[in-house]
Amino acid sequence: MTQKQANFVLATVSIAWGLSYIFMKLGIDGIPPATIVALRCGIAFLVTMLIFGKKMMKINTNLLKYASISGALLAGIFAMLMYGVLHTSATSAGFLTSTTVVMVPILQAFLQRKLPSRNIIVGVVIVSIGLILMTVRNPLTFDVGALYCLIAALLYAVHIMVSNHFVREVDPLQLGIYQLGFSALYATVFTFMFEKPILPDSPIHWLAILGLALICSAYGFVMQSVAQKYTTAVSVGFLFSLEPIFSAIFAFIFLKEIVGLNSYIGAALILTGVFIANRSTSRGSRNPGAHPLS
C-alpha cells in the first residue's frame, strides 16, 4: 500500500466515524444506550472474529487482561457518547469529542510533571473558548449533553494512553478486536441490571445498529490498523481531525440539524485549537494518538 492509498483509506475511516454520530442519533430514540453499546460491540466483535479467524485464537493472559481494561474504557466512551447525543446535537457531539486530541498531551504533561508545549497551550486556550460558546446556552443554562461528550473525550484520551502501552506488549489487532468483546460483555451486564433489554424493532433502528457495528467499529478498527503503517503521523493526525467536520456535514444532510451561530463559531474554534495542538503531538511521535475509535 502506498502512502497516498493509506491516506485515502484513513480519510474513509474518518468519514465512517463521522457517520457514527448520525447512527447514534437514529438509534437512541428507540433503544436504551447500554443496549446499543452491547449490540454494536457484540456484532462488531463477532464479525471481526470471523474475518481474522485463526489469528484470533492465539491468545494469552496479558492480551485478555489488557483487552478487559481497554474494553471497559471503550464501553464507557460509547455509553457517554450515547447519553451525549441524547441531549445534544450530533454536530456538537462530533466537535466536542474531538477535544481528545488536546486532552492527550495535557494528561501526558500532568503525568510527566512538566509544562505542555506552546502549541498545546495555545490550542487549549482556543478550544476552551470554543467549548464555552458551544456548551453555555445562556447565563443560567449548561448543555448537559456536552458534559457527557466531554467525559467521553476524556475517556478517549485515557484509552489512547493505556493503549499506547498495551500495544507494545500484545498484538494491536488482537487487542482492538478483543476489547470489543469485553466492551459488549460489560454493556450487556449493565443492560440486564439497569435497562430493559430489547432488540431493534424497526428498519431505521437496525440500520443504526448495523451501521455502528459494521461501518464505524469493524471497518474503522481494521482499516485504521492496516493503513497507519504506511503513512506519516502528521497525515494521520490531520485526517482524523476531519471527523467532526464529516459529522457536521452528515448531521445537516440526514438530520437537517442547524445549530446556533455561537455553536458554529465554537465548533470552528475547537477545530482550530485541535489542529494547532495536533501539529505539536504529530511531530513528537509516529502515532499521534491513534484515534480512539468512534
Side-chain angles (χ1 to χ4, degrees):
M1 182 183 292
T2 65
Q3 181 177 341
K4 187 175 181 179
Q5 291 171 328
N7 287 344
F8 174 77
V9 169
L10 290 174
T12 66
V13 171
S14 285
I15 292 173
W17 287 333
L19 277 170
S20 69
Y21 301 95
I22 311 306
F23 290 134
M24 285 188 280
K25 201 73 172 177
L26 292 175
I28 195 64
D29 68 339
I31 309 173
T35 303
I36 292 178
V37 176
L39 289 170
R40 167 187 185 167
C41 294
I43 294 171
F45 174 69
L46 292 175
V47 169
T48 48
M49 284 291 286
L50 288 173
I51 292 173
F52 293 97
K54 293 180 180 179
K55 180 179 177 64
M56 300 310 299
M57 296 300 105
K58 299 177 181 178
I59 60 176
N60 56 57
T61 304
N62 273 352
L63 173 63
L64 295 178
K65 180 176 68 175
Y66 294 154
S68 67
I69 296 171
S70 55
L73 287 168
L74 201 64
I77 291 165
F78 289 153
M80 288 298 100
L81 283 178
M82 292 307 308
Y83 284 108
V85 298
L86 181 63
H87 296 287
T88 194
S89 67
T91 300
S92 295
F95 280 98
L96 292 166
T97 309
S98 71
T99 58
T100 294
V101 176
V102 175
M103 292 184 183
V104 170
I106 291 176
L107 288 176
Q108 288 176 332
F110 176 77
L111 292 174
Q112 295 169 0
R113 298 183 179 181
K114 66 178 183 180
L115 285 175
S117 68
R118 183 165 52 185
N119 277 9
I120 297 298
I121 294 173
V122 172
V124 168
V125 171
I126 295 174
V127 165
S128 298
I129 296 172
L131 287 174
I132 292 172
L133 289 173
M134 290 198 77
T135 57
V136 179
R137 301 305 183 195
N138 61 58
L140 299 177
T141 304
F142 180 81
D143 186 348
V144 67
L147 179 60
Y148 285 121
C149 291
L150 289 174
I151 293 173
L154 178 60
L155 291 176
Y156 267 144
V158 176
H159 183 276
I160 288 173
M161 295 178 67
V162 299
S163 294
N164 281 345
H165 170 69
F166 292 163
V167 295
R168 296 174 188 155
E169 306 292 331
V170 298
D171 180 84
L173 183 59
Q174 286 184 309
L175 177 66
I177 292 174
Y178 275 108
Q179 72 176 348
L180 283 171
F182 278 103
S183 182
L185 176 62
Y186 298 141
T188 300
V189 171
F190 188 92
T191 295
F192 279 95
M193 289 179 63
F194 301 105
E195 296 180 353
K196 181 180 178 181
I198 61 172
L199 288 174
D201 58 1
S202 69
I204 195 69
H205 290 151
W206 274 113
L207 173 66
I209 294 297
L210 293 177
L212 286 169
L214 302 180
I215 298 174
C216 306
S217 295
Y219 177 81
F221 272 111
V222 174
M223 298 315 296
Q224 176 201 356
S225 299
V226 171
Q228 279 190 226
K229 298 178 182 178
Y230 300 96
T231 189
T232 65
V234 173
S235 295
V236 172
F238 173 77
L239 291 166
F240 285 168
S241 294
L242 296 177
E243 178 193 334
I245 296 178
F246 289 125
S247 72
I249 293 172
F250 292 137
F252 177 77
I253 294 173
F254 296 111
L255 303 178
K256 309 302 180 185
E257 276 191 4
I258 300 177
V259 297
L261 179 60
N262 277 6
S263 292
Y264 281 122
I265 296 173
L269 288 172
I270 288 174
L271 190 64
T272 301
V274 165
F275 273 124
I276 291 173
N278 198 59
R279 285 178 58 196
S280 176
T281 54
S282 293
R283 292 192 190 106
S285 69
R286 169 79 180 169
N287 183 349
H291 194 284
L293 309 163
S294 297

